[in-house]
Amino acid sequence: MRFVYDFDEDSGGGRELLGGKGIGLAEMTQLGIPVPGGFTITTDACRAYLAAGGEVPAGLDDEVDRHVAGLEERTGKRFGDPDDPLLVSVRSGAAISMPGMMDTVLNLGLNEVSVEGLAETTGNLRFALDSYRRLVQMYGEVVDGVDGHRFEQALSDLKADRGVSQDVDLSGEDLRELVRTFHGIYEEGTGGSFPQDPREQLRRAYRAVFESWKAPRAQVYRRTYDIPDDLGTAVNVVQMVFGNRGDRSGTGVCFTRDPATGERVLFGEFLLNAQGEDVVAGIRTPEPIARMRELLPDAYDQLVDTLDHLEGHYRDVQDIEFTVEEGTLYLLQTRTGKRTAAAALRIAAEMVDEGLISREEAVARIDPGQLDQLLHPRIDPDAHYEVAARGLNASPGAAVGAIVLDADTAEARGREGEDVILVRWETTPDDIHGLVQARGVLTAHGGMTSHAAVVARGMGKPCVAGCEGLAIDMAAGTVTIGGHELRAGDVISIDGANGSVIVGAVPLVPPAIDENFGTILAWADDLRRLRVRANADTPADAAKAREFGAEGIGLCRTEHMFMSDERLPVVREMILAREEDERRAALDRLLPLQQGDFEGIFEAMAGLPVTIRLLDPPLHEFLPSLEEATSDAMRDRIRQLHEANPMLGTRGCRLGLQFPEIYEMQVRAIVRAARAVAERTGEAPIVEIMHPLVGFREELARLRELTERVAAEEPTVSYLCGTMIELPRAAIRADEIAEEADFFSFGTNDLTQTALGFSRDDAEGKFLTFYLEHGILERNPFEVLDEEGVGDLMRFAVERGRGTKPTIKLGICGEHGGEPRSVAFCHRLGLDYVSCSPYRVPLARLAAAQRYEDAARLRDRLDALERVVEDLAELQRLRRAELCLVVPAEEPGFVRAYAVAGGRVAASRRLPRNGGASVEAGALVAEARGRIAGGPSYAPEAADELLLVAGFVRRPPPELTVLPLDAGRLAAACTGVEPAAWVA
Ligand code: ADP
Ligand code: MG
Ligand code: MG
């Protein structure tokens, strides 16, 4: 197996093989964009290293040597040359970008002798020594784990001693002394002297990169973002270019559009006479990119052209790193720019206008989960408050919380549910666990591209960075903000949208939703089939739901209507009543109130469907505790109604059947309300009366009879009568139940509880947490629908229900109805609608539409693919072979394997993403062969099955032939979009 590829070589692999940085460097090189020479050591090498318990795979060192030789030839410089040495950087880069998680060593190749040669050839002693001291420091830190602060301290001591404030003010002789000091620190830290042989430096450096995959901070990051642990990282060896060579050199980072607002302007920072790390480290304060136009006009123009080229090529915002050496521009990295939700919407909408992408693609690009960010609070515009200090508006949204000065405390107190704001000089990757739990982050140092800013934007958390009015005394636990003396624990507010910091708490309000939001969601609405309703119990919720685009109410629960202060005494009377007459008298008093509730909701939803669920919880929930009971009768009744396991007790339709008066009253109120609203507004809602917790056909048959009898006594209103499906028995016997039902609504909260035998209250925070932490379960089934289990029950119910009654309406009203992955599943299942909380409606609208951009996206992917698979002869050869394709499944941690033969998918299977996947994929191909020989080939259940996240193609296991393609190609073969181009 080959482990190393030059940037200009075709590796046949993608991001998963070369890592994000590596694939970017290779693609830029192939596009003719100026990139220094170099090569990538693949993730295969890293995986092999990790699998062997830290042994470099056989042949790797030699292969690297050969590529170094190639680089020497191309650059005309030699590694270790005492006069004009070749210098390189060694940079890690995993398939999924992990900002700041892995480490880089610059200037590798220098030693005591060649540093003098470099000074000589460049005529710049300062520069040569500066590069060398950086090497000793980075190498010491990254490769040998020497404490970086010791180097920093030595540098600031020296500056203080010389009375200068900037690194660039140190003289050559100063730096010579600094190098000596750094050597001393290195020796103290490692017990050995700094390696002088460049080849040894390089070998040890890439081993260290492999090792850094296992570092705790990298593990935390992977856990936070659901990145599989077994991907490994690639290592890039890149010829050094120098931004620290003088005043015609510099370095910077830049986005092609503003990642906070989405505006189409270059957004970035630049430092003259500096090396890459200086910009992001937050040590020197960089200048806005616009300054570069004045300082280095030619390089600036070239940068603008290059960025245009890159954005046109990738058709998305790029986030790049560049260096200018003596006026010449080099790109060192490109990746898709992370952005806020607001920016994502604006960019997607504008790129459609610019003709860069299609509407389908625009819709597909928005992460539904990210929309949540837009629903984050802002400071109430009417609030009066005083801004104590200002910093950079690094990540939008406002937060109020107690000051916490370190990440561990932030993590601990945030977990306890306390609102905390992490306040730091600056953050580093070691603070990530604290950031995860904090409401927001405030830093004194660092710019818009500092660690805190980047990470907070990614998490959608408010961040104010570079706040000059902030000073922290860690030892005393105090903080000064704009002259105010505060202590850890004091409350502050921050507004990441404008960078203000306020002492004390300010009122927050939900954010306004802008035009781009509306545009993208309107496109989404055109693309989706699945309807989106909201769960709403009050007219106010119903109005909010309409505002967010809900197309009806999928669940209106009636229990809260029994809870309000003026009603509860009547409800209790009803529950305590000994005789039916007494009970009816109390219910008669509730009837007009209940009717009023429904009228309000029906008005907000005129013309749209509204599903009202009849009373569900057990009666004892309306009574006080035994201690609080005010009469003996009440105490008796409480004892009588007591149940050991109320969730499985007298509730739902069991209650309705035993106390029919309650449901009769509710049906009457619903029908009267519908009539009243129709008369008043001229538009009747589509009323759906829903019976909870049905498990047996006979239950629903009797309740349907009750519903029809009462409705017939009232003025005519048309309505549907249906049931929740929230018990496994109901799902399994759905064919019978459908005979009595006009609709099914999957109550997946209870269905998950009853199917899994998990009581949610006892699971979450207890054994479920253990299950998740120990990997027994991959996800919380109350958040993300358990497709294999609960989902299969739903599948049964859909098939059997439709078998009896093809027109039966099907929806879901559990919380899963607002979770993107689960929405996708509901789409595949063929439900008519999902229903979720009002705030999640936009998210569900988007998620539902993303199931529909398949064809367009596939075509795009095919184009992308054409570029990858250039070698037609190779393709020809592969066409005759049986193929197995392994692509990432939608769920992180899983892949989906497809066996392809005879021009179609012969078998597909979802497999955990680990070493075993390849082996299983082999078995799959064997199985597929059998199937094809034996009879008609297997077609995937639905084209949607093939809708997979683009990106990674797992490397071929040696015994299989795997095309280096993405899912689109295969999907095309199956969906008929372009089958001819696929398999002969
Ligand atoms: P990170 O993933 O932390 O961004 P990088 O590998 O991109 O790490 O490198 C860190 C810094 O060093 C970046 O600013 C990058 O541009 C710079 N750098 C990396 N390689 C080179 C090189 N060969 N020449 C000049 N600068 C480099
Ligand atoms: Mg970088
Ligand atoms: Mg329920």
Side-chain angles (χ1 to χ4, degrees), residues 678-732:
E679 275 165 13
R680 204 157 52 232
T681 66
E683 198 165 19
I686 301 162
V687 176
E688 300 175 348
I689 299 174
M690 179 156 77
H691 296 281
L693 218 70
V694 165
F696 298 86
R697 172 197 170 148
E698 190 55 24
E699 289 169 328
L700 189 60
R702 292 187 186 201
L703 290 171
R704 186 176 186 105
E705 186 278 322
L706 175 153
T707 308
E708 285 172 356
R709 175 167 48 74
V710 175
E713 292 165 19
E714 297 294 325
T716 354
V717 162
S718 60
Y719 64 91
L720 300 178
C721 177
T723 180
M724 303 274 284
I725 300 288
E726 51 190 338
L727 296 174
R729 188 180 199 286
I732 289 165

Side-chain angles (χ1 to χ4, degrees), residues 613 616 651 692-693 724 726 747 749-751:
R613 182 179 73 188
D616 184 41
R651 52 169 287 217
L693 218 70
M724 303 274 284
E726 51 190 338
N749 295 354
D750 270 332
L751 190 57

Side-chain angles (χ1 to χ4, degrees), residues 505-528:
V506 294
L508 304 181
V509 295
I513 284 163
D514 74 359
E515 200 189 319
N516 298 308
F517 187 95
T519 306
I520 300 279
L521 281 171
W523 291 341
D525 291 343
D526 288 343
L527 292 167
R528 69 187 157 87

Side-chain angles (χ1 to χ4, degrees), residues 21 36 87-92 98-106 238-243 251-253 275-280 321-323 332-333 335:
K21 217 171 268 172
L87 302 186
V88 296
S89 62
V90 175
R91 319 165 65 190
S92 63
M98 297 170 63
M101 285 295 120
M102 313 287 285
D103 298 303
T104 293
V105 178
L106 301 180
V238 189
Q239 185 196 356
M240 282 306 299
V241 288
F242 297 101
T251 182
V253 296
Q275 216 169 47
E277 291 284 309
D278 299 344
V279 182
V280 283
E321 291 174 1
F322 67 92
T323 283
L332 289 161
Q333 186 169 337
R335 59 186 166 202

Side-chain angles (χ1 to χ4, degrees), residues 554-555 611-614 652-653 663 688-697 699-701 703-704 707 720-727 730-731 733-734 736-747 797 808-813 833:
L555 177 64
T611 309
I612 294 180
R613 182 179 73 188
L614 303 187
C653 68
Y663 279 16
E688 300 175 348
I689 299 174
M690 179 156 77
H691 296 281
L693 218 70
V694 165
F696 298 86
R697 172 197 170 148
E699 289 169 328
L700 189 60
L703 290 171
R704 186 176 186 105
T707 308
L720 300 178
C721 177
T723 180
M724 303 274 284
I725 300 288
E726 51 190 338
L727 296 174
R733 306 304 288 183
E736 295 168 5
I737 293 175
E739 285 173 19
E740 307 294 339
D742 303 322
F743 64 88
F744 286 166
S745 176
F746 291 98
I808 194 164
K809 251 198 209 184
L810 301 172
I812 176 175
C813 64
Y833 69 87

Side-chain angles (χ1 to χ4, degrees), residues 33-154:
I33 284 170
V35 170
F39 53 84
T40 302
I41 304 171
T42 64
T43 55
D44 279 342
C46 178
R47 279 193 292 268
Y49 174 90
L50 295 171
E55 279 292 324
V56 166
L60 176 61
D61 286 336
D62 292 342
E63 212 179 327
V64 170
D65 283 345
R66 282 197 298 278
H67 285 264
V68 169
L71 193 58
E72 288 177 329
E73 198 161 306
R74 224 164 322 157
T75 57
K77 293 176 191 247
R78 276 189 314 108
F79 215 35
D81 187 331
D83 298 323
D84 184 13
L86 169 67
L87 302 186
V88 296
S89 62
V90 175
R91 319 165 65 190
S92 63
I96 300 174
S97 134
M98 297 170 63
M101 285 295 120
M102 313 287 285
D103 298 303
T104 293
V105 178
L106 301 180
N107 308 326
L108 191 135
L110 280 175
N111 57 27
E112 291 299 307
V113 182
S114 62
V115 68
E116 303 299 338
L118 182 67
E120 195 98 341
T121 0
T122 59
N124 191 337
L125 176 68
R126 245 209 105 264
F127 153 73
L129 287 166
D130 186 51
S131 303
Y132 190 33
R133 68 99 186 158
R134 287 169 194 264
L135 170 64
V136 178
Q137 170 170 358
M138 282 189 240
Y139 196 94
E141 279 186 61
V142 175
V143 180
D144 293 302
V146 180
D147 180 6
H149 291 111
R150 303 196 52 200
F151 295 107
E152 292 297 341
Q153 193 61 50

Side-chain angles (χ1 to χ4, degrees), residues 390-394 441-448 450 452-453 463-468:
R390 279 191 188 280
L392 298 171
N393 52 334
V441 53
L442 169 64
T443 66
H445 293 165
M448 298 296 277
S450 66
C463 172
V464 174
C467 176
E468 293 191 354

